[in-house]
């Protein structure tokens, strides 16, 4: 992994990090419960969006705001195998396209939050250790980021993070940080509904072709649609009865109960290549965030150096397993090595 350029020539003073890492409170009202259509009734729309996660929720909103009649279907209260409470967001990206799209997406956060009344963005900063970190920073600055190279001593003193792999370090302040995915889904669903979409908090049981389009069935009854957008991730193949040409990589995440340092040091979101324990090639974490059970946890995941991709018919069993114990151990070792001063509570893991 090459050094992009001499770090010493590029270090600049860093302003103090604002204390933004406390999560916004839960929304006081979610998406309304749409009355069931009934097995003997039906509904006709231009597009049915199946899956009400971050992708489906956004797609449903955009389609509705463009004047299409939309049914957005999915259990909005079930998000990921571990009730995910945070996803990294930043302008700093690995490629030019990634950086440009990230900047455009982040630029819409304020409008979505204001119109929906639901805040979902926590701009607590983003840190990356990578051999191309200088290139990441240069691209990000073109799109309004304050990204800049920093040194390990500053990171340890300011954030309590110990990175010793000798890679370049790039830090981005706000808007870098993380988003609360459940709150973002709630915001997108609320705006889709305001634009005329029918939001149904239920699962789809079946999908079949019909004259002029498709029929979508579930506990809500039958919906006829000229088009269907499947936003259900790797499970889309089951509903559509097709084999998706994708590599299904099994991943296990580790979460540790932790409130943070409590002494003014704020922990940013992180991506770290070549971590201390090399059983994983790269790790990421989301700073301490409040989960649905009211407990604050830091979440860490990564890319195993060796793994066997899953077949489509193995997905359900994988998500009901305990994950990969070797990956769990490696992530726990890396978490403690990166935050040596942290006093973690119990650790849990999820596939």
């Amino acid at each position: 992994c090459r050094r992009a350029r001499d770090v010493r020539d590029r270090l600049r003073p860093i302003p103090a990090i604002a204390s933004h890492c406390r999560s916004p409170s839960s929304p006081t009202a979610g998406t309304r419960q749409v009355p069931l259509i009934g097995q003997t009734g039906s509904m006709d729309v231009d597009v049915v969006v199946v899956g009400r996660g971050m992708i489906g929720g956004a797609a449903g909103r955009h389609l509705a705001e463009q004047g299409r009649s939309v049914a957005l279907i999915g259990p909005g209260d079930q998000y990921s195998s571990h009730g995910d409470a945070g996803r990294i967001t930043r302008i700093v990206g690995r490629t030019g396209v990634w950086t440009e799209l990230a900047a455009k997406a982040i630029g819409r956060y304020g409008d979505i939050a204001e119109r929906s009344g639901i805040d979902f963005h926590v701009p607590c900063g983003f840190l990356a250790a990578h051999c191309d970190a200088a290139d990441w920073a240069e691209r990000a600055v073109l799109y309004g980021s304050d990204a800049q190279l920093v040194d390990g001593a500053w990171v340890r003193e300011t954030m309590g993070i110990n990175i010793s792999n000798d890679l370049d370090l790039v830090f981005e302040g706000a808007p870098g940080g993380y988003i609360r995915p459940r709150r973002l889904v709630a915001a997108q669903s609320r705006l889709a509904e305001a634009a005329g979409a029918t939001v149904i908090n239920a699962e789809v049981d079946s999908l079949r072709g019909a004259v002029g389009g498709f029929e979508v069935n579930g506990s809500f009854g039958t919906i006829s649609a000229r088009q269907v957008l499947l936003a259900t991730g790797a499970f889309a193949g089951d509903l559509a009865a097709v084999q998706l040409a994708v590599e299904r990589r099994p991943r296990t995440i580790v979460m540790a109960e932790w409130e943070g340092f409590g002494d003014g040091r704020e922990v940013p979101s992180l991506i770290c290549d070549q971590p201390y324990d090399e059983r994983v090639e790269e790790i990421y974490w989301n700073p301490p965030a409040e989960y649905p059970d009211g407990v604050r946890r830091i979440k860490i995941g990564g890319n195993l150096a060796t793994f066997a991709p899953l077949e489509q018919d193995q997905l359900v069993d994988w998500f009901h397993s305990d994950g990969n114990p070797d990956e769990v151990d490696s992530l726990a070792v890396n978490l403690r090595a990166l935050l040596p001063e942290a006093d973690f509570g119990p650790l849990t893991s999820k596939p």
Side-chain angles (χ1 to χ4, degrees):
C1 183
R2 68 178 178 83
R3 298 283 289 180
R5 54 182 50 81
D6 189 347
V7 177
R8 293 172 299 179
D9 294 338
R10 296 177 53 81
L11 295 180
R12 298 195 303 233
I14 309 295
I17 306 173
S19 179
H20 291 303
C21 280
R22 285 289 166 181
S23 307
S25 58
S26 298
T28 55
T31 302
R32 67 177 173 88
Q33 296 295 310
V34 176
L36 299 183
I37 299 169
Q39 294 294 338
T40 59
S42 64
M43 179 180 182
D44 186 78
V45 296
D46 293 328
V47 185
V48 166
V49 179
V50 182
R52 197 153 60 90
M54 290 194 294
I55 302 300
R61 174 179 68 82
H62 280 289
L63 287 166
E65 290 180 346
Q66 290 169 10
R68 309 288 291 277
S69 59
V70 177
L72 175 58
I73 309 174
D77 57 345
Q78 298 177 18
Y79 193 87
S80 81
S81 63
H82 56 279
D84 202 2
R87 293 290 178 93
I88 295 174
T89 189
R90 83 278 187 187
I91 296 175
V92 170
R94 300 173 190 268
T95 67
V97 171
W98 188 322
T99 303
E100 180 180 0
L101 293 178
K104 289 181 176 180
I106 291 171
R108 294 175 175 172
Y109 287 177
D111 174 68
I112 296 171
E114 181 178 0
R115 291 195 292 125
S116 68
I118 301 174
D119 187 16
F120 54 85
H121 180 208
V122 184
C124 59
F126 168 76
L127 177 70
H130 198 275
C131 60
D132 293 330
D135 296 335
W136 293 20
E138 286 184 357
R139 284 191 295 267
V141 168
L142 299 177
Y143 292 93
S145 169
D146 66 355
Q148 54 193 289
L149 293 184
V150 295
D151 64 24
W154 180 83
V155 169
R156 178 65 182 266
E157 178 182 356
T158 308
M159 306 172 185
I161 303 172
N162 179 42
I163 298 178
S164 57
N165 57 16
D166 200 35
L167 296 179
D168 283 352
L169 302 173
V170 58
F171 176 73
E172 175 181 278
Y178 67 95
I179 57 172
R180 303 298 306 272
R182 288 169 175 263
R183 295 181 63 88
L184 176 56
V185 168
Q188 300 279 30
S189 296
R190 182 173 291 179
L191 291 179
E193 196 172 45
T198 299
V199 179
I200 301 175
N201 189 25
E203 296 180 359
V204 169
D205 295 331
S206 66
L207 166 67
R208 69 181 185 86
V211 176
F214 301 88
E215 285 188 354
V216 180
N217 297 283
S219 60
F220 45 81
T222 300
I223 300 178
S224 298
R226 279 157 286 289
Q227 294 177 300
V228 173
L229 174 62
L230 297 180
T232 56
F235 289 97
D238 291 335
L239 195 59
V242 298
Q243 282 290 331
L244 298 176
V246 296
E247 184 179 66
R248 303 166 187 85
R249 298 185 179 186
R251 291 289 181 265
T252 308
I253 59 97
V254 168
M255 296 180 290
E257 295 185 15
W258 188 46
E259 290 285 336
F261 285 117
D263 59 3
R265 288 179 294 178
E266 299 286 0
V267 177
S269 296
L270 172 76
I271 290 177
C272 179
D273 198 18
Q274 301 178 25
Y276 175 78
D277 187 309
E278 296 181 351
R279 286 175 289 177
V280 290
E281 295 177 327
E282 180 181 275
I283 64 97
Y284 71 89
W285 76 35
N286 196 86
E290 184 175 321
Y291 279 75
D293 60 2
V295 177
R296 291 180 65 81
R297 297 180 176 92
I298 185 171
K299 176 186 72 174
I300 184 171
N303 297 322
L304 272 175
T306 58
F307 67 92
L310 297 176
E311 297 298 327
Q312 185 165 309
D313 59 5
Q314 296 176 305
L315 289 174
V316 172
D317 288 341
W318 165 255
F319 279 110
H320 284 88
S321 74
D322 295 325
N324 186 315
D326 198 44
E327 187 173 11
V328 171
D329 185 62
S330 176
L331 291 172
V333 168
N334 279 309
L335 182 61
R336 293 187 175 101
L338 287 163
L339 291 167
E341 301 173 56
D343 183 19
F344 297 119
L347 271 66
T348 56
S349 63
K350 286 285 187 178

